[in-house]
Amino acid sequence: MNPDLLNAIPTAMITDTRELALLCEHLRETGAFTLDMEFASESVYFPRLHLVQVATRKRAALIDPLAVPDMASLWDIVADPTVTKITHAGRQDAEI
């Protein structure tokens, strides 16, 4: 992949529900996106979600689940069979 292409994609840090809703509209309209989730599992009984990374051909976003109190709009799209998701270690994320 051309490294200049990566620099051309707008990237955002999502830290509130309004921003997440706007991002989810984009993800749904696009019909496909990449998804990666980062969990902290050291020194805790259950893993805790610390970062969600999503991207389309037009934009990328980092979602801070510790700052966004309601992630339902994202989980609705993740569960939607009409929207294609490309995951990194998706089986592991689904187990958690």
Side-chain angles (χ1 to χ4, degrees):
M1 177 177 263
N2 181 345
D4 293 331
L5 180 61
L6 293 176
N7 293 330
I9 298 173
T11 304
M13 181 70 180
I14 307 300
T15 58
D16 67 43
T17 306
R18 182 187 59 78
E19 293 172 339
L20 181 61
L22 293 172
L23 173 64
C24 288
E25 284 180 29
H26 170 73
L27 297 176
R28 191 172 296 283
E29 289 170 2
T30 302
F33 65 96
T34 62
L35 172 69
D36 186 28
M37 295 183 271
E38 305 298 335
F39 293 87
S41 58
E42 300 81 26
S43 305
V44 294
Y45 188 69
F46 293 105
R48 185 168 182 189
L49 182 61
H50 278 254
L51 180 68
V52 179
Q53 302 164 83
V54 297
T56 67
R57 291 182 181 267
K58 295 185 177 184
R59 68 188 278 204
L62 305 173
I63 305 165
D64 181 352
L66 303 176
V68 179
D70 183 4
M71 300 274 290
S73 58
L74 178 64
W75 303 139
D76 288 345
I77 294 171
V78 169
D80 185 342
T82 67
V83 178
T84 301
K85 281 74 63 177
I86 302 162
T87 62
H88 176 261
R91 182 173 290 167
Q92 180 182 358
D93 292 347
E95 289 174 2
I96 295 174

